[in-house]
Amino acid sequence: MKRYFVHTFGCQMNVNESLRMGEALATIGYRPTPTAEQADLIILNTCAIREKAEDKMLSALGRYRAIKTQRGALLAVGGCVAQQEKGKLLARVPYLDFVFGPDAIGKLPELVTRVVEDRVRVAETAWVDSEEYVFPRADPGSSAGKVSEFVTVMKGCDNVCSFCVVPHTRGREVSRPFVEVLQEVASLTTVGVREVTLIGQNVNSYRGGISFAELLLRLAQVPGIERVRFTTSHPHDLSDALIDAFRQEPRIAPHFHLPVQSGSDDVLRRMKRDYTVAQYLERLAALRAARPGIAVTTDIIVGFPGETEEDFQRTLTLTEQVRYENQFSFVFSARPRTVAAVKETEWGPVPHEVKVERLERLQAIQRRISGEIGAALVGHEVEVLVEGPSRSHPSRRFGRTPENRTVNFDGTAPAGARARVGITHGSPSALLGVEAGLVDLPPVPPLRPRNEAA
Ligand code: SAH
Ligand code: SF4
Ligand code: F3S
């Protein structure tokens, strides 16, 4: 029996695709192993979003090289760096056996067989940019034991944000037909999944036969599903229909990740984000009116070329004004072939120390706001979908609120149950509490359609 090990970098798309790689490898007799040291095939599923992500891949490759030499294991690179570098990566890293892009996951069995039998080094990085693309179907077995799972609804991105490498690594947008999405979600409920997060680089421009709002509404009706989430969304696609879906359907969880990137219109224009701060705030206000209490999170880039102290101050002001639940903030990193990298000198590069100092100021403000939001929940009861034992304190239980707040609590509620938890402590990153009772226990399959009498 052969064994594989996948090291995953980057976003949820990659996490999900690593599972699909495992399923493809199982068809040629490969089984997973928890450590690279025991593997016959080591795959790095890579991310190219920032330079740091690429550096991490290079240092990991160095470590795995030793295992390759000792065991004669195969070493491969998949994901976004593979797609970006293609065959060049084979030339740059002479001990690499093969390279494959995100669209070649289905061909993995064939690739491995070719590499083993013909002793060739290959790069498979063709794109399938059309509706002919077949999304790898998840095997629900890969999700056994999970309460919450990710489901791919689209790939690629048709936007042209000037800083972003994703359109170069993932190609054009292709939506997955809605029937396939519904079938996959229904199959996940058979192993106990009660919450799904739809993923794609730009999910609300979904066009898989029905609108994205309609897709959410239909998924909320799948028996066994209690919460539907999605990530990530571009503000210009936040339609009235989507806002209405939040008003109508409580199973669409009250959390919205809406990356703003900057609080300055000048910076947004150079980023080619095609909205102004005022338009962003208008959409957010409509969303908050439709679902009071909805948690909003965002992504921000600081030190974008030409960003002045005044521009940055506007990002701080926006952060205070929106009172984000949380934000993922990064210093700008020039990426190959992007407009911002080409124009950086013309627009005015921001010195590294300034970028880092701005990032720290922004993060300090966000930490304070997140802490205040957490502290305000002390003494309140929240509903937690229990995922299992807490990672930090294995004697405690762990789960999330509908707003996607993480909660560690003392109690006995089993994974898959919804528990009522009284909050005793709130920090910027997690809540602590005590179980006060159960809302329900996990359902036992087979599940009946919602409209059928029990
Ligand atoms: N599709 C998502 C973004 C995915 S990338 C969206 O449009 O919101 C996740 C985040 O990484 C981005 O929101 C952005 O904040 C950050 N990012 C992307 N390119 C970057 C770069 N070149 N430098 C720094 N941060 C970057
Ligand atoms: Fe990148 Fe913009 Fe597409 Fe997001 S919407 S993946 S930031 S190009
Ligand atoms: Fe990274 Fe590719 Fe995701 S660049 S963020 S792994 S789409």
Side-chain angles (χ1 to χ4, degrees), residues 292-361:
I294 190 168
V296 180
T297 55
T298 200
D299 291 347
I300 286 179
I301 296 177
V302 304
F304 186 79
E307 184 190 71
T308 61
E309 174 61 25
E310 291 73 52
D311 291 320
F312 174 65
Q313 288 287 344
R314 292 190 180 102
T315 299
L316 298 183
T317 307
L318 181 73
T319 297
E320 295 278 11
Q321 198 178 346
V322 174
R323 283 185 68 78
Y324 291 107
E325 183 88 13
N326 202 352
Q327 57 177 233
F328 302 92
S329 44
F330 316 94
V331 297
F332 169 74
S333 166
R335 305 311 293 135
R337 293 193 294 155
T338 60
V339 172
V342 174
K343 297 263 188 173
E344 190 173 14
T345 320
E346 184 187 322
W347 288 344
V350 176
H352 184 70
E353 320 76 71
V354 177
K355 282 192 218 173
V356 172
E357 185 258 347
R358 284 183 190 166
L359 186 70
E360 282 166 4
R361 275 154 72 199

Side-chain angles (χ1 to χ4, degrees), residues 49 157-161 163-167 201-202 234 261 273:
I49 201 81
C157 181
D158 285 351
N159 293 315
V160 286
C161 305
F163 51 81
C164 186
V165 80
V166 171
Q201 285 302 342
N202 193 15
H234 192 295
Q261 312 298 357
R273 288 292 285 185

Side-chain angles (χ1 to χ4, degrees), residues 4 17 23 39 50 109 183 231 233 252 298 317 322 345 380 394 416 421 433 439:
Y4 71 88
E17 284 166 4
E23 290 158 6
R50 286 168 288 274
Q183 282 169 343
T231 193
S233 309
I252 300 175
T298 200
T317 307
V322 174
T345 320
H380 290 261
V421 175
V439 178

